[in-house]
Amino acid sequence: MYRIIMIMTVSVLITCCSSSNPQDNETPETSGSQINLAPIDYSFYDPVYIDTLMTDDLGKYIDYVAQTDYIAGISSSKNNPLEKELIYTFSETSDYITTKTGSTPPAFNIKINGMQVGSHAETKASAHWESIYGSHVYFEISAGSAMTRSASASETVDMYIPELIKVTSPIMQNESDMYPLCYYDGFTVRWNGDPENTNGVLVVIEWFGSMVFGDHNPNAYIRRTDRVDDTGEAVLSKDMFDDIPDTAICHLTLLRGNLENVIADDYSFKLFGESHQNFPFILIRNIRYKDR
């Protein structure tokens, strides 16, 4: 939904995203070797749809799928490391409560650290919203609309919202660094670890059918999701890239956050804070070394 697909010319000199050399039956020549792309396999035109979890334990994040009457929180998105985070808040009713009540649901006023959620305050005090990341905050739920200033909180929830997530490797400092070439076996991604975040980080690999070489596959979509510890580094399983062809344009998203599902005045609320960062890359599966 926030993807921008761009085709670029691929250099034959590859800077791998992995901290290890590609697997091979022989020891690769790394001193002064020129790495070239291997012959391209074009047998990927059949329709494909894969959406799967690579872990049996999503931890706290599994609570997000629980149905609640209301949902409110703060979110930060970043399409690539060169952009500034877009931070926004929102508070809304779910389709679930509309179906359950069969009528207009009652209004609730929700604040984070005393600031109104979903009131466009983020445009007036973005620095304040950014400052709550990496800190313990409190959510207040009050009956009535945002205009009811005198309403007392019917529920208060303390929550730690992890730091804004920032990818540090692959390194992307300017436009020429965009779309790094990443080898699928041993692909290492690094970010600013948050030791206080016990929920871990969600890692999502997506392919929308776009290619650097060869025709795009408009009938392809692959998404795989895993959860890793928030240590600041993860070596992705090569199984994350199954069925994605060589030189495919992929997207990697890192997400971390916290949430609580609570009851207030006999209604259920999903309260959360999260940040996620996406970056595009070119998947390399087959490489060969000069003079082999």
Side-chain angles (χ1 to χ4, degrees), residues 107-118:
F108 281 90
N109 181 26
I110 300 178
K111 297 180 180 179
I112 301 177
N113 284 0
M115 290 191 66
Q116 184 66 43
V117 168

Side-chain angles (χ1 to χ4, degrees), residues 72-74 88-92 107-125 128-129 138-142 144-149 151:
I74 182 169
Y88 52 95
T89 67
F90 60 92
S91 176
E92 59 190 27
F108 281 90
N109 181 26
I110 300 178
K111 297 180 180 179
I112 301 177
N113 284 0
M115 290 191 66
Q116 184 66 43
V117 168
S119 65
H120 304 290
E122 60 271 28
T123 62
K124 295 181 292 183
H128 175 85
W129 287 120
Y138 61 93
F139 285 76
E140 294 178 357
I141 304 172
S142 304
S145 68
M147 301 301 294
T148 311
R149 301 297 183 183

Side-chain angles (χ1 to χ4, degrees), residues 27-128:
T27 302
E29 298 176 6
T30 57
S31 177
S33 295
Q34 184 180 41
I35 306 174
N36 297 310
L37 296 178
I40 306 302
D41 178 9
Y42 292 101
S43 60
F44 51 82
Y45 295 105
D46 293 334
V48 57
Y49 179 86
I50 299 173
D51 190 357
T52 186
L53 294 175
M54 305 297 291
T55 176
D56 295 328
D57 182 16
L58 286 176
K60 190 73 172 179
Y61 298 110
I62 194 65
D63 292 344
Y64 190 84
V65 302
Q67 290 182 321
T68 59
D69 300 320
Y70 297 86
I71 180 170
I74 182 169
S75 178
S76 171
S77 64
K78 194 173 183 180
N79 290 348
N80 65 67
L82 303 183
E83 293 186 358
K84 177 67 176 175
E85 290 88 357
L86 172 63
I87 300 175
Y88 52 95
T89 67
F90 60 92
S91 176
E92 59 190 27
T93 59
S94 68
D95 294 336
Y96 173 69
I97 188 176
T98 303
T99 303
K100 183 175 72 172
T101 62
S103 60
T104 302
F108 281 90
N109 181 26
I110 300 178
K111 297 180 180 179
I112 301 177
N113 284 0
M115 290 191 66
Q116 184 66 43
V117 168
S119 65
H120 304 290
E122 60 271 28
T123 62
K124 295 181 292 183
S126 58
H128 175 85

Side-chain angles (χ1 to χ4, degrees), residues 53-253:
L53 294 175
M54 305 297 291
T55 176
D56 295 328
D57 182 16
L58 286 176
K60 190 73 172 179
Y61 298 110
I62 194 65
D63 292 344
Y64 190 84
V65 302
Q67 290 182 321
T68 59
D69 300 320
Y70 297 86
I71 180 170
I74 182 169
S75 178
S76 171
S77 64
K78 194 173 183 180
N79 290 348
N80 65 67
L82 303 183
E83 293 186 358
K84 177 67 176 175
E85 290 88 357
L86 172 63
I87 300 175
Y88 52 95
T89 67
F90 60 92
S91 176
E92 59 190 27
T93 59
S94 68
D95 294 336
Y96 173 69
I97 188 176
T98 303
T99 303
K100 183 175 72 172
T101 62
S103 60
T104 302
F108 281 90
N109 181 26
I110 300 178
K111 297 180 180 179
I112 301 177
N113 284 0
M115 290 191 66
Q116 184 66 43
V117 168
S119 65
H120 304 290
E122 60 271 28
T123 62
K124 295 181 292 183
S126 58
H128 175 85
W129 287 120
E130 184 173 347
S131 70
I132 74 172
Y133 282 92
S135 67
H136 290 267
V137 304
Y138 61 93
F139 285 76
E140 294 178 357
I141 304 172
S142 304
S145 68
M147 301 301 294
T148 311
R149 301 297 183 183
S150 61
S152 59
S154 57
E155 184 72 23
T156 301
V157 178
D158 294 323
M159 183 188 304
Y160 175 73
I161 298 182
E163 297 177 12
L164 287 169
I165 196 162
K166 301 177 186 292
V167 174
T168 59
S169 179
I171 299 174
M172 282 172 267
Q173 297 178 329
N174 50 60
E175 291 292 339
S176 63
D177 297 328
M178 294 295 291
Y179 290 83
L181 308 178
C182 300
Y183 188 65
Y184 82 110
D185 191 356
F187 183 175
T188 300
V189 61
R190 298 181 179 89
W191 65 94
N192 58 325
D194 184 349
E196 197 166 348
N197 172 34
T198 60
N199 297 330
V201 173
L202 293 184
V203 180
V204 183
I205 295 291
E206 290 178 288
W207 177 53
F208 297 86
S210 295
M211 301 292 301
V212 173
F213 295 132
D215 295 333
H216 307 311
N217 186 346
N219 298 313
Y221 177 69
I222 293 177
R223 178 172 64 185
R224 291 189 175 92
T225 304
D226 201 359
R227 185 175 74 91
V228 299
D229 293 335
D230 196 354
T231 61
E233 178 177 303
V235 180
L236 306 186
S237 168
K238 63 182 180 180
D239 296 338
M240 293 278 284
F241 307 100
D242 283 353
D243 306 299
I244 303 178
D246 194 34
T247 73
I249 300 176
C250 301
H251 295 263
L252 187 147
T253 301

